[in-house]
Amino acid sequence: MMVENIVCFDIGGTFIKFGLINRDGHLVYKDKVPTPKSNIQKLLPELLAEKIKKLQNDFLIAGIGISSCGLVNHETGEILFSNNIPDYSGMKLGEILFNLFKLPVSVENDVKSACIGEMWKGAIQGKKDVVFLTLGTGIGSTIIIDGKIVSGSRYLAGELGHTVIINNGRSCGCGRRGCFERYASTSALVSDFIDEKNKNSEVIKKISGEEILALVEEGDSIATAVYKNFINYISIGLSNIVHLLNPEAIIIGGGIAEQGDRFIQDINSEIKKETMPIYHQETLVFPSILGNDAGLYGACYLTLKKLNYLHV
Protein backbone atom coordinates (compact mmCIF):
# COMPACT_ATOMS: atom_id res chain seq x y z
CA MET A 1 0.00 0.00 0.00
CA MET A 2 1.44 3.36 -1.06
CA VAL A 3 1.83 6.06 1.59
CA GLU A 4 -0.24 9.19 0.95
CA ASN A 5 1.70 12.45 0.63
CA ILE A 6 0.99 16.16 0.47
CA VAL A 7 2.88 18.19 -2.12
CA CYS A 8 3.71 21.54 -0.53
CA PHE A 9 4.94 24.86 -1.90
CA ASP A 10 6.35 27.91 -0.13
CA ILE A 11 6.07 30.80 -2.60
CA GLY A 12 8.40 33.75 -2.05
CA GLY A 13 9.50 36.70 -4.13
CA THR A 14 12.84 35.11 -5.06
CA PHE A 15 12.35 31.34 -4.78
CA ILE A 16 9.56 28.80 -4.62
CA LYS A 17 10.50 26.04 -2.20
CA PHE A 18 8.59 22.81 -2.63
CA GLY A 19 8.55 19.41 -1.06
CA LEU A 20 6.69 16.23 -0.30
CA ILE A 21 5.55 15.48 3.25
CA ASN A 22 3.75 12.26 4.14
CA ARG A 23 0.70 12.13 6.38
CA ASP A 24 2.91 11.30 9.38
CA GLY A 25 4.74 14.59 8.94
CA HIS A 26 8.00 13.32 7.47
CA LEU A 27 9.63 15.49 4.80
CA VAL A 28 10.60 12.96 2.12
CA TYR A 29 11.69 15.32 -0.65
CA LYS A 30 12.42 19.00 -1.16
CA ASP A 31 13.83 21.35 -3.77
CA LYS A 32 13.47 24.95 -4.93
CA VAL A 33 13.15 26.89 -8.17
CA PRO A 34 13.37 30.62 -8.96
CA THR A 35 10.07 32.49 -8.85
CA PRO A 36 9.01 33.65 -12.32
CA LYS A 37 9.77 37.35 -12.83
CA SER A 38 7.03 38.13 -15.35
CA ASN A 39 3.71 36.85 -16.72
CA ILE A 40 2.97 35.49 -13.24
CA GLN A 41 -0.71 34.76 -13.87
CA LYS A 42 0.30 32.19 -16.50
CA LEU A 43 3.79 31.02 -15.54
CA LEU A 44 3.37 30.49 -11.80
CA PRO A 45 0.40 28.06 -11.99
CA GLU A 46 2.13 26.27 -14.89
CA LEU A 47 5.30 25.85 -12.81
CA LEU A 48 3.40 24.47 -9.81
CA ALA A 49 1.40 22.13 -12.04
CA GLU A 50 4.57 20.84 -13.70
CA LYS A 51 6.14 19.99 -10.31
CA ILE A 52 2.96 18.30 -9.06
CA LYS A 53 2.63 16.16 -12.20
CA LYS A 54 6.26 15.10 -11.97
CA LEU A 55 5.85 14.05 -8.32
CA GLN A 56 2.64 12.17 -9.17
CA ASN A 57 4.71 9.86 -11.37
CA ASP A 58 6.49 8.45 -8.32
CA PHE A 59 4.30 9.25 -5.30
CA LEU A 60 0.66 9.02 -4.23
CA ILE A 61 -0.49 12.62 -3.81
CA ALA A 62 -3.53 13.18 -1.58
CA GLY A 63 -3.54 16.98 -1.50
CA ILE A 64 -1.76 20.25 -2.22
CA GLY A 65 -0.59 22.78 0.38
CA ILE A 66 0.47 26.33 -0.45
CA SER A 67 2.35 28.73 1.83
CA SER A 68 2.59 32.10 0.10
CA CYS A 69 3.89 35.59 0.61
CA GLY A 70 1.20 38.28 0.61
CA LEU A 71 -2.25 38.65 2.12
CA VAL A 72 -4.28 35.48 1.59
CA ASN A 73 -7.96 34.56 1.87
CA HIS A 74 -7.44 31.02 3.16
CA GLU A 75 -11.11 30.15 2.70
CA THR A 76 -11.12 30.80 -1.06
CA GLY A 77 -7.41 30.30 -1.76
CA GLU A 78 -7.08 33.77 -3.30
CA ILE A 79 -4.00 35.97 -3.07
CA LEU A 80 -5.55 39.26 -1.95
CA PHE A 81 -2.40 41.36 -2.22
CA SER A 82 1.33 40.88 -2.72
CA ASN A 83 4.01 43.55 -3.02
CA ASN A 84 6.80 40.97 -3.47
CA ILE A 85 5.61 39.41 -6.74
CA PRO A 86 4.38 41.71 -9.54
CA ASP A 87 0.84 40.96 -10.82
CA TYR A 88 0.34 38.19 -8.25
CA SER A 89 -2.47 40.02 -6.42
CA GLY A 90 -5.90 38.63 -7.20
CA MET A 91 -4.74 35.18 -8.32
CA LYS A 92 -7.30 32.51 -7.37
CA LEU A 93 -4.54 29.98 -6.78
CA GLY A 94 -6.58 27.46 -4.81
CA GLU A 95 -9.29 27.35 -7.45
CA ILE A 96 -6.79 27.02 -10.30
CA LEU A 97 -4.99 24.05 -8.73
CA PHE A 98 -8.21 22.33 -7.66
CA ASN A 99 -9.58 22.58 -11.20
CA LEU A 100 -6.35 21.07 -12.59
CA PHE A 101 -5.92 18.18 -10.14
CA LYS A 102 -9.28 17.70 -8.35
CA LEU A 103 -7.36 17.37 -5.08
CA PRO A 104 -7.94 19.28 -1.82
CA VAL A 105 -5.90 22.51 -1.81
CA SER A 106 -5.05 24.77 1.14
CA VAL A 107 -3.57 28.25 0.65
CA GLU A 108 -2.30 30.36 3.54
CA ASN A 109 0.06 33.26 4.20
CA ASP A 110 3.69 32.18 4.63
CA VAL A 111 4.18 33.50 8.16
CA LYS A 112 0.93 31.93 9.33
CA SER A 113 1.95 28.67 7.67
CA ALA A 114 5.38 28.78 9.34
CA CYS A 115 3.76 29.27 12.73
CA ILE A 116 1.42 26.32 12.17
CA GLY A 117 4.44 24.26 11.09
CA GLU A 118 6.30 25.09 14.31
CA MET A 119 3.22 24.16 16.36
CA TRP A 120 2.91 20.82 14.56
CA LYS A 121 6.50 19.63 14.23
CA GLY A 122 8.73 22.39 15.59
CA ALA A 123 9.54 24.53 18.59
CA ILE A 124 6.10 24.84 20.15
CA GLN A 125 4.41 21.46 19.88
CA GLY A 126 1.46 21.13 22.22
CA LYS A 127 1.00 24.88 22.74
CA LYS A 128 -2.25 26.63 21.78
CA ASP A 129 -1.66 30.35 22.41
CA VAL A 130 1.33 31.51 20.43
CA VAL A 131 2.78 34.53 18.63
CA PHE A 132 5.21 33.99 15.77
CA LEU A 133 7.50 36.63 14.27
CA THR A 134 10.05 36.51 11.49
CA LEU A 135 12.76 39.15 11.53
CA GLY A 136 14.02 40.11 8.08
CA THR A 137 13.51 43.10 5.81
CA GLY A 138 10.46 43.81 7.96
CA ILE A 139 8.65 41.85 10.65
CA GLY A 140 6.24 39.16 9.59
CA SER A 141 3.91 37.97 12.32
CA THR A 142 0.90 35.89 13.18
CA ILE A 143 -1.20 35.24 16.26
CA ILE A 144 -2.60 31.85 17.31
CA ILE A 145 -5.28 31.73 20.00
CA ASP A 146 -6.70 28.41 21.23
CA GLY A 147 -4.91 26.68 18.35
CA LYS A 148 -6.55 28.81 15.67
CA ILE A 149 -5.03 31.51 13.44
CA VAL A 150 -6.41 34.97 14.17
CA SER A 151 -7.37 36.23 10.71
CA GLY A 152 -9.58 39.23 11.47
CA SER A 153 -12.69 40.35 9.60
CA ARG A 154 -10.86 40.69 6.26
CA TYR A 155 -7.86 38.36 6.77
CA LEU A 156 -5.64 41.32 7.72
CA ALA A 157 -5.03 40.63 11.43
CA GLY A 158 -1.63 40.11 13.04
CA GLU A 159 0.48 42.88 11.48
CA LEU A 160 2.49 43.38 14.66
CA GLY A 161 5.35 44.96 12.73
CA HIS A 162 3.16 48.01 12.18
CA THR A 163 2.33 48.66 15.82
CA VAL A 164 4.09 51.85 16.93
CA ILE A 165 6.78 51.70 19.62
CA ILE A 166 8.31 55.19 19.15
CA ASN A 167 6.02 58.22 18.93
CA ASN A 168 6.74 60.27 15.79
CA GLY A 169 9.68 57.96 15.04
CA ARG A 170 11.18 56.70 11.80
CA SER A 171 8.95 56.77 8.75
CA CYS A 172 7.66 53.40 7.57
CA GLY A 173 6.57 52.16 4.17
CA CYS A 174 3.07 51.64 5.58
CA GLY A 175 2.67 55.41 5.96
CA ARG A 176 3.03 55.57 9.75
CA ARG A 177 6.00 56.61 11.87
CA GLY A 178 7.78 54.69 14.62
CA CYS A 179 6.63 51.21 13.60
CA PHE A 180 8.03 48.20 15.45
CA GLU A 181 9.67 46.82 12.28
CA ARG A 182 11.56 50.08 11.66
CA TYR A 183 13.53 49.39 14.87
CA ALA A 184 13.41 45.63 15.47
CA SER A 185 13.80 44.00 12.04
CA THR A 186 17.12 42.62 10.84
CA SER A 187 17.28 45.37 8.21
CA ALA A 188 16.91 47.98 11.01
CA LEU A 189 19.83 46.40 12.90
CA VAL A 190 21.97 46.51 9.75
CA SER A 191 21.00 50.10 8.96
CA ASP A 192 21.73 51.28 12.51
CA PHE A 193 25.10 49.55 12.54
CA ILE A 194 26.15 51.05 9.19
CA ASP A 195 25.05 54.53 10.36
CA GLU A 196 27.11 54.25 13.55
CA LYS A 197 30.16 52.99 11.68
CA ASN A 198 29.88 55.87 9.19
CA LYS A 199 29.71 58.35 12.06
CA ASN A 200 33.05 56.93 13.16
CA SER A 201 34.50 57.44 9.66
CA GLU A 202 34.37 53.73 8.90
CA VAL A 203 32.61 53.29 5.57
CA ILE A 204 30.61 50.06 5.39
CA LYS A 205 28.13 49.56 2.57
CA LYS A 206 26.95 46.01 3.19
CA ILE A 207 26.82 43.62 6.14
CA SER A 208 24.38 40.98 7.37
CA GLY A 209 22.64 40.72 10.72
CA GLU A 210 24.46 37.44 11.34
CA GLU A 211 27.82 39.16 10.76
CA ILE A 212 26.89 41.90 13.24
CA LEU A 213 26.06 39.28 15.87
CA ALA A 214 29.48 37.71 15.23
CA LEU A 215 31.09 41.13 15.86
CA VAL A 216 29.16 41.37 19.12
CA GLU A 217 30.64 38.03 20.19
CA GLU A 218 34.09 39.40 19.32
CA GLY A 219 33.50 42.44 21.54
CA ASP A 220 33.22 45.12 18.83
CA SER A 221 32.10 48.23 20.74
CA ILE A 222 29.86 49.73 18.04
CA ALA A 223 28.23 46.39 17.24
CA THR A 224 27.62 45.80 20.94
CA ALA A 225 25.99 49.22 21.47
CA VAL A 226 23.74 48.86 18.42
CA TYR A 227 22.85 45.29 19.41
CA LYS A 228 21.88 46.38 22.93
CA ASN A 229 19.48 48.97 21.49
CA PHE A 230 18.14 46.37 19.06
CA ILE A 231 17.35 43.92 21.87
CA ASN A 232 15.63 46.72 23.77
CA TYR A 233 13.46 47.65 20.77
CA ILE A 234 12.47 44.01 20.25
CA SER A 235 11.59 43.65 23.92
CA ILE A 236 9.45 46.81 23.98
CA GLY A 237 7.39 45.51 21.09
CA LEU A 238 7.14 42.01 22.51
CA SER A 239 6.19 43.26 25.98
CA ASN A 240 3.19 45.03 24.40
CA ILE A 241 2.22 41.69 22.85
CA VAL A 242 2.68 39.88 26.18
CA HIS A 243 0.43 42.32 28.03
CA LEU A 244 -2.19 42.22 25.27
CA LEU A 245 -2.33 38.47 24.54
CA ASN A 246 -0.55 36.63 27.39
CA PRO A 247 0.82 33.96 25.01
CA GLU A 248 2.34 30.66 26.11
CA ALA A 249 5.24 31.24 23.75
CA ILE A 250 6.68 33.69 21.26
CA ILE A 251 8.63 32.16 18.38
CA ILE A 252 11.21 34.18 16.46
CA GLY A 253 12.28 33.03 13.01
CA GLY A 254 14.61 34.43 10.37
CA GLY A 255 18.33 33.90 9.88
CA ILE A 256 19.33 36.06 12.82
CA ALA A 257 17.37 33.87 15.27
CA GLU A 258 19.37 30.81 14.23
CA GLN A 259 22.76 32.23 15.24
CA GLY A 260 23.05 30.56 18.62
CA ASP A 261 21.47 30.88 22.04
CA ARG A 262 22.63 34.33 23.10
CA PHE A 263 20.19 36.31 20.96
CA ILE A 264 17.12 34.49 22.32
CA GLN A 265 18.48 34.50 25.89
CA ASP A 266 19.06 38.26 25.76
CA ILE A 267 15.49 38.86 24.57
CA ASN A 268 14.04 36.66 27.32
CA SER A 269 16.09 38.55 29.89
CA GLU A 270 15.10 41.99 28.57
CA ILE A 271 11.39 41.16 28.32
CA LYS A 272 11.32 40.49 32.06
CA LYS A 273 12.43 44.10 32.60
CA GLU A 274 9.63 45.36 30.34
CA THR A 275 6.70 43.30 31.62
CA MET A 276 4.81 43.16 34.90
CA PRO A 277 6.14 40.40 37.21
CA ILE A 278 2.88 38.44 37.07
CA TYR A 279 3.54 37.81 33.35
CA HIS A 280 7.02 36.38 33.89
CA GLN A 281 7.65 32.75 33.02
CA GLU A 282 10.82 30.71 32.86
CA THR A 283 11.09 30.81 29.07
CA LEU A 284 8.78 32.81 26.83
CA VAL A 285 10.73 33.35 23.60
CA PHE A 286 11.96 30.41 21.51
CA PRO A 287 13.82 30.24 18.20
CA SER A 288 12.23 28.59 15.17
CA ILE A 289 13.71 25.12 14.78
CA LEU A 290 12.24 24.21 11.39
CA GLY A 291 13.89 27.21 9.73
CA ASN A 292 13.12 27.52 6.02
CA ASP A 293 11.03 24.34 6.09
CA ALA A 294 8.45 25.69 8.56
CA GLY A 295 6.16 27.02 5.82
CA LEU A 296 6.14 23.65 4.05
CA TYR A 297 5.18 21.85 7.24
CA GLY A 298 2.42 24.36 7.92
CA ALA A 299 1.06 23.99 4.38
CA CYS A 300 1.03 20.21 4.84
CA TYR A 301 -0.74 20.41 8.21
CA LEU A 302 -3.52 22.64 6.87
CA THR A 303 -4.10 20.30 3.94
CA LEU A 304 -4.16 17.24 6.21
CA LYS A 305 -6.77 19.00 8.32
CA LYS A 306 -8.81 19.66 5.17
CA LEU A 307 -8.64 15.92 4.46
CA ASN A 308 -9.78 15.20 8.04
CA TYR A 309 -6.57 13.24 8.62
CA LEU A 310 -5.87 15.30 11.75
CA HIS A 311 -8.23 15.81 14.63
CA VAL A 312 -6.43 18.48 16.67
Side-chain angles (χ1 to χ4, degrees), residues 192-267:
D192 288 349
F193 177 78
I194 290 173
D195 286 348
E196 288 302 314
K197 281 289 190 181
N198 290 344
K199 285 177 189 175
N200 282 266
S201 302
E202 297 178 57
V203 178
I204 293 179
K205 293 184 179 179
K206 189 176 180 182
I207 192 170
S208 69
E210 292 87 338
E211 288 169 331
I212 294 171
L213 261 58
L215 289 172
V216 172
E217 291 296 330
E218 293 169 12
D220 181 278
S221 60
I222 292 177
T224 300
V226 170
Y227 171 77
K228 186 176 179 182
N229 286 335
F230 180 59
I231 294 295
N232 182 245
Y233 290 138
I234 292 174
S235 301
I236 290 170
L238 295 187
S239 68
N240 291 336
I241 293 166
V242 169
H243 289 133
L244 179 66
L245 298 173
N246 185 29
E248 293 175 88
I250 295 171
I251 310 305
I252 296 183
I256 196 169
E258 300 167 12
Q259 298 306 300
D261 296 335
R262 176 176 175 172
F263 178 62
I264 298 297
Q265 288 172 354
D266 288 345
I267 294 171

Side-chain angles (χ1 to χ4, degrees), residues 91-294:
M91 184 181 290
K92 294 179 170 58
L93 191 55
E95 183 180 306
I96 291 167
L97 293 174
F98 177 78
N99 288 339
L100 285 172
F101 294 97
K102 298 298 186 281
L103 292 170
V105 183
S106 71
V107 186
E108 185 53 278
N109 164 267
D110 52 1
V111 180
K112 291 181 171 68
S113 294
C115 183
I116 291 290
E118 291 288 349
M119 290 177 71
W120 183 37
K121 292 293 180 182
I124 45 175
Q125 295 177 52
K127 298 189 186 299
K128 297 288 188 181
D129 296 286
V130 174
V131 173
F132 181 90
L133 300 99
T134 55
L135 307 184
T137 303
I139 293 180
S141 55
T142 196
I143 299 165
I144 306 283
I145 293 178
D146 195 26
K148 298 180 180 66
I149 295 171
V150 176
S151 296
S153 63
R154 293 192 294 130
Y155 310 99
L156 306 176
E159 287 290 335
L160 300 173
H162 296 293
T163 55
V164 170
I165 65 166
I166 304 289
N167 184 45
N168 201 33
R170 299 168 182 171
S171 61
C172 181
C174 75
R176 305 185 79 194
R177 300 184 73 89
C179 287
F180 185 30
E181 71 171 39
R182 292 294 291 113
Y183 295 86
S185 61
T186 304
S187 62
L189 171 67
V190 169
S191 178
D192 288 349
F193 177 78
I194 290 173
D195 286 348
E196 288 302 314
K197 281 289 190 181
N198 290 344
K199 285 177 189 175
N200 282 266
S201 302
E202 297 178 57
V203 178
I204 293 179
K205 293 184 179 179
K206 189 176 180 182
I207 192 170
S208 69
E210 292 87 338
E211 288 169 331
I212 294 171
L213 261 58
L215 289 172
V216 172
E217 291 296 330
E218 293 169 12
D220 181 278
S221 60
I222 292 177
T224 300
V226 170
Y227 171 77
K228 186 176 179 182
N229 286 335
F230 180 59
I231 294 295
N232 182 245
Y233 290 138
I234 292 174
S235 301
I236 290 170
L238 295 187
S239 68
N240 291 336
I241 293 166
V242 169
H243 289 133
L244 179 66
L245 298 173
N246 185 29
E248 293 175 88
I250 295 171
I251 310 305
I252 296 183
I256 196 169
E258 300 167 12
Q259 298 306 300
D261 296 335
R262 176 176 175 172
F263 178 62
I264 298 297
Q265 288 172 354
D266 288 345
I267 294 171
N268 274 307
S269 177
E270 192 68 19
I271 280 179
K272 287 184 178 177
K273 301 175 188 175
E274 296 287 344
T275 52
M276 290 187 282
I278 197 169
Y279 287 88
H280 293 178
Q281 56 195 69
E282 188 173 339
T283 305
L284 176 65
V285 180
F286 299 82
S288 162
I289 64 172
L290 296 177
N292 288 330
D293 295 335

Side-chain angles (χ1 to χ4, degrees), residues 2-8 20-23 52 55-56 59-65 98 101-106 300 303-309:
M2 289 184 72
V3 176
E4 291 183 307
N5 301 276
I6 307 299
V7 58
C8 304
L20 208 64
I21 301 177
N22 66 28
R23 61 184 294 178
I52 295 167
L55 287 166
Q56 281 182 320
F59 299 94
L60 177 61
I61 307 297
I64 302 163
F98 177 78
F101 294 97
K102 298 298 186 281
L103 292 170
V105 183
S106 71
C300 178
T303 307
L304 290 173
K305 279 202 79 173
K306 207 163 196 174
L307 286 160
N308 292 317
Y309 289 174

